[in-house]
Amino acid sequence: MSYLNGQTGYREELLNTRSIVKMGSYVVIEPDGIVKNAIPGYTNCDVTILGSPAMGASFADYLITVHEGGNNPAFGGEGLESFIYVVEGSVKVKNADQETTLTKGGYIYSPVSNTVAFENAGTEDATLFAYKRRYEAVEGYAAHTVVGNDNDLPWIPYEGMENCHIKDFLPAAGDFGFDMNFHILKFKMGASHGYIETHVQQHGMYFLSGKAMYRIGDDWVPLQKGDYVFMQAYCPQACYGVGKDEEVTYIYSKDCNRDVQ
Ligand code: UGY
Ligand code: MN
């Protein structure tokens, strides 16, 4: 028998977690397992570092709750590119090129060293999925600020499939100013990837809706809205959309347009 918080018996929430850490292969962080960090630059925000170099990622992913009046005057940094996606609520964003308000589904990509100021634009909490990465330049090419909303992006059949679709946030492969892209994938119930992908690129992904059974590495992992997954390079991966209420969608990053070093 244990005595926790003055109660007898085990606390159910300490017996199980869906979070998984397989360093060198993949990491799953479920919402119940996230912790908040105090980080310089943020005012009135709850900040969780989801993906980071500590797990082998070439980037950092954040889940940020921006409370009323909350802000960060300089997300990003010297040598870093950044991307912010609005999961809920609305924020005002400003970088050296653009100033606008992003509502749910809105996003900004800000090129290397061009930091982004954000602040809550309303009275409700805003939830952001945000990303930073050290930019890999190619001589003669440059990236530029991109602002939009995923509601305005077309769903494109993913690799020719009828029941799996993708949205691409940044310019297509072959625009060598960009060394990464963000996408949303959507699987109809029962739909899956056409094969188990195994590729050099890493992913950080945040589940926006629905439920999935996901082949990651050697495992089959149940995933759902609110979960975060980091996949290391060459981690075998394939998704089945499951559940009966909602199609599964997730936003994810993928580096592109560069040779290996
Ligand atoms: O673009 C991709 O590599 C994507 N299909 N991977 C994934 O969804 N795990
Ligand atoms: Mn992939």
Side-chain angles (χ1 to χ4, degrees):
M1 188 186 298
S2 74
Y3 292 84
L4 291 166
N5 283 358
Q7 295 179 329
T8 57
Y10 293 109
R11 291 169 60 192
E12 284 298 318
E13 64 269 35
L14 294 190
L15 293 178
N16 286 303
T17 177
R18 290 187 300 104
S19 297
I20 302 168
V21 177
K22 295 206 170 175
M23 285 296 184
S25 180
Y26 72 94
V27 173
V28 173
I29 302 176
E30 63 140 317
D32 287 354
I34 66 175
V35 298
K36 297 168 192 167
N37 308 106
I39 300 179
Y42 292 88
T43 301
N44 212 13
C45 294
D46 294 336
V47 187
T48 298
I49 301 173
L50 293 170
S52 77
M55 58 177 69
S58 66
F59 51 81
D61 280 328
Y62 301 80
L63 190 66
I64 305 169
T65 303
V66 190
H67 301 296
E68 185 177 1
N71 67 84
N72 181 339
F75 181 79
E78 192 57 37
L80 303 177
E81 59 191 336
S82 51
F83 182 90
I84 296 174
Y85 174 79
V86 180
V87 179
E88 288 294 343
S90 60
V91 286
K92 288 183 199 161
V93 291
K94 183 176 187 299
N95 74 354
D97 309 317
Q98 297 231 23
E99 182 171 358
T100 189
T101 298
L102 302 178
T103 54
K104 184 176 167 132
Y107 62 93
I108 180 168
Y109 168 85
S110 194
V112 58
S113 304
N114 189 343
T115 60
V116 184
F118 65 77
E119 65 177 269
N120 194 320
T123 53
E124 303 291 313
D125 284 354
T127 307
L128 310 179
F129 182 59
Y131 166 102
K132 293 195 298 206
R133 182 169 185 262
R134 194 151 298 281
Y135 178 66
E136 271 182 66
V138 170
E139 206 179 331
Y141 295 91
H144 53 82
T145 298
V146 181
V147 169
N149 189 296
D150 80 44
N151 293 307
D152 301 326
L153 299 174
W155 283 115
I156 301 163
Y158 184 63
E159 297 189 333
M161 290 190 285
E162 284 174 9
N163 49 11
C164 175
H165 291 82
I166 192 165
K167 290 183 176 188
D168 301 324
F169 286 82
L170 300 180
D175 187 333
F176 295 129
F178 290 83
D179 67 350
M180 52 76 62
N181 205 337
F182 260 87
H183 314 269
I184 290 183
L185 262 183
K186 176 173 79 173
F187 295 85
K188 294 215 161 110
M189 256 80 89
S192 69
H193 280 90
Y195 53 94
I196 299 177
E197 298 175 359
T198 311
H199 51 63
V200 66
Q201 295 90 353
Q202 301 178 332
H203 291 311
M205 56 179 69
Y206 182 74
F207 280 71
L208 298 168
S209 67
K211 293 186 172 179
M213 278 305 291
Y214 220 114
R215 169 71 191 261
I216 323 178
D218 293 334
D219 304 326
W220 280 100
V221 182
L223 295 171
Q224 63 188 39
K225 179 178 176 179
D227 289 347
Y228 174 78
V229 182
F230 167 67
M231 294 179 189
Q232 208 13 308
Y234 298 110
C235 177
Q237 54 199 260
C239 177
Y240 269 99
V242 298
K244 56 182 174 53
D245 301 324
E246 260 193 330
E247 290 172 336
V248 63
T249 61
Y250 54 84
I251 183 168
Y252 69 99
S253 62
K254 185 174 187 180
D255 40 302
C256 60
N257 289 331
R258 296 291 182 271
D259 202 350
V260 291
Q261 301 293 327

